Amino acid sequence: MQEGSFIWSHLEKQHRAVDKWVDWVCLIGLLLAAVLLFSINLGGLPLRDWDEGTVAHVAREIWSAPSGSMHWLYPTLGGKPYHNKPPLMHLLIAWTYSLGGVNEWTTRLPGAILTAFSVPLLYCIGREIFRQRWAAIYSALIYLTMLPVVRHGRLAMLDGAVVSFLMVMMLCVLRSRRDLRYCLGIGIGFGLICLTQGLLGGLLGAIAIVFLFWDTPRLLTSYYFWTAILIGSLPVACWYSAQLWHYGYTFAQVGLFNQSLNRIGAAVEGDAEPPWYYIIELLKWTWPWLIFLPQAARLIWENRNLSWAKFILVWSGVFLLIISLLGTKLPWYVFPIYPSLALALGAQLAETENSPLLSSYPRSWVTGFSILAVVASASSIYFSGGTTPKTDLQLIFAAVAVTMTLAAILAERGDGQFLKILFWGSYISLVLLMKSNYWVWELWQAYPVKPVAAMIAQVNPSVEQIYTSFPRHRPSLDFYSDRTIIPASVGELQYYWHYNGQPYFLLNASTLKELKLESIKKVGEAEGWMLITKDAGRL
């Protein structure tokens, strides 16, 4: 071997070693930052209605089931079969219950940790598609500091886990183009998605198929690829087969049609929205990063023949089209688009930083930061007034205002340090929000659930079903009270009172006055809600 060739080989090995060391430092740093943000004050607020209350209730019944009862395979909700989703996430939460007891922290911990791992996973995806490390770092930091990512990732829901498994699948898709052994990771990631989200996980698999069809069609004809998909799908097929064998037509109607296929073409439980609903959601919640979107979109379109641009276009475009055409629309359905959006914005920031700067940054950036600074300042002043100032919100908006003001000043001067201010300020603002009592703001839309549930548990009514005048079902109340609380109209309440032997009603004062019931016995009261039943001594 020639001397020059030997020296070059030695230097190349050293460079690779340093490169790997830097990658590991970035991965560990991103993971630590994500774990802190996703775990701080995790159990400080009650569980939210709908997904959180339902998931926790199913997990608790799995955890409390007798040994050998097969509840892990055939989960129940309120003692009745639960056909909505496969129980992978519920099993993880039940496992944390066995370690730390039943509480809000253990309920939210599995989803929060899985979502935290999605941050370094996005960095790995960025390293696969971008030549520059900074594009991957910016992408991961943008994703980490997106409000909907942090908020929904911390909740006891399925979507954070689904996105983490989606990233595993997409990372393996990228690496399988040069090493077919990664096809097995594609199958495993796809299987985990379907074991969490059900058959609708197949819609996320379509993203990978469309990308490969456009970028690497030879992989779609590979025996290894389809064998890996088959291996990953096998546990999913086994679970669905077990449900069909055990429940028969009931599961086919409820689990397959109503909760999966029916959501594609019809609005389930009244969750109907126009096709542009998710575009509005993105416009509402992805600031300040949305300021960079016009330039990012142009950069991607100009490079649409390159693999990285194809990847982002397919992930964003195909997924947004799919969820926009779904009959059922919920805010958290858009969660899987945030990683691709972060990749697009990260590519633009890296491109901007590496281009020779002859003047200040685009005026739209300075204007956007300035508007956000004014809005945040006004909000901070607003929450500092009144008889009871909300100091937490005042501090949060003040942090946002300072961040946006400094970013606007530095961007106006053409100083690239505005990006560091933007990342640090956004991260600190989110930490302050997560430490406060406002990060689950849906809790303020109804009465506090824990005092009412504690009142019901304390009096320990002898029935499993309680009827309430509250107009909508609250799964969190079911979970905390360990009862099924059923909403009912005034007419239904009057019927149950007269024809049920010993009914229990959860009513507010106005409904109780309207009903004009006789022989009432008040069992308990909390937060303006009374638990009543018939007074047997006065009948």
Side-chain angles (χ1 to χ4, degrees), residues 88-109:
L88 178 58
M89 195 65 189
H90 311 80
L91 289 170
L92 292 176
I93 296 174
W95 177 66
T96 60
Y97 285 168
S98 66
L99 299 177
V102 180
N103 53 63
E104 290 86 358
W105 186 81
T106 52
T107 301
R108 291 174 175 144
L109 183 63

Side-chain angles (χ1 to χ4, degrees), residues 236-255:
V236 183
C238 290
W239 186 83
Y240 275 98
S241 298
Q243 306 307 303
L244 288 169
W245 179 268
H246 188 73
Y247 295 112
Y249 174 78
T250 303
F251 178 78
Q253 179 67 26
V254 178

Side-chain angles (χ1 to χ4, degrees), residues 427-506:
Y427 184 82
I428 292 171
S429 300
L430 285 173
V431 168
L432 292 174
L433 176 61
M434 298 308 138
K435 286 192 63 171
S436 73
N437 292 327
Y438 299 100
W439 68 274
V440 190
W441 52 72
E442 293 87 352
L443 296 175
W444 304 94
Q445 297 174 359
Y447 61 86
V449 69
K450 291 188 77 171
V452 177
M455 178 266 294
I456 295 174
Q458 184 177 5
V459 300
N460 194 23
S462 57
V463 295
E464 294 296 324
Q465 292 185 345
I466 297 173
Y467 299 97
T468 181
S469 58
F470 194 72
R472 57 183 173 84
H473 181 217
R474 301 198 65 185
S476 61
L477 183 59
D478 291 1
F479 172 75
Y480 284 115
S481 65
D482 201 17
R483 298 289 189 280
T484 302
I485 315 296
I486 303 173
S489 64
V490 172
E492 290 172 330
L493 291 171
Q494 289 174 335
Y495 175 84
Y496 296 140
W497 186 264
H498 290 294
Y499 293 101
N500 282 15
Q502 194 71 30
Y504 280 83
F505 288 177
L506 182 65

